[in-house]
Amino acid sequence: MRLPDEQHSRLKDLAAHKHQSLNKLFEEISTRMIVEFDTETRFKTLAAQGDVKEGLALLDKLDVHFNK
């Protein structure tokens, strides 16, 4: 993987601060990105299958509950 020198240096410093190798840091970062992508994909899939009227009615109920 190629990175600008400044970015590489800062990532090395971050890994050292976290007491882990640069490799482990990249593994952690990539895992987080994959989880974020999977969550977004799942949300979009579920949203596409949902009922707009039912969803808006639920949001109205939440508004009433939290705006007391």
Side-chain angles (χ1 to χ4, degrees):
M1 180 183 311
R2 298 192 195 297
L3 296 170
D5 290 341
E6 175 64 21
Q7 190 174 10
H8 182 261
S9 177
R10 294 195 64 206
L11 287 168
K12 277 177 62 177
D13 291 344
L14 175 59
H17 176 76
K18 294 174 64 108
H19 305 288
Q20 49 182 217
S21 67
L22 194 52
N23 229 26
K24 187 69 178 169
L25 180 68
F26 278 114
E27 181 183 337
E28 181 182 317
I29 290 168
S30 62
T31 298
R32 288 181 185 191
M33 295 297 297
I34 290 168
V35 168
E36 182 180 311
F37 174 74
D38 289 348
T39 301
E40 181 181 347
T41 301
R42 180 170 164 70
F43 177 82
K44 286 179 178 179
T45 300
L46 290 172
Q49 297 170 358
D51 181 282
V52 173
K53 280 186 178 179
E54 191 176 318
L56 291 172
L58 181 57
L59 289 174
D60 287 342
K61 284 182 184 179
L62 289 170
D63 282 343
V64 169
H65 177 76
F66 287 106
N67 290 325
K68 288 182 180 180

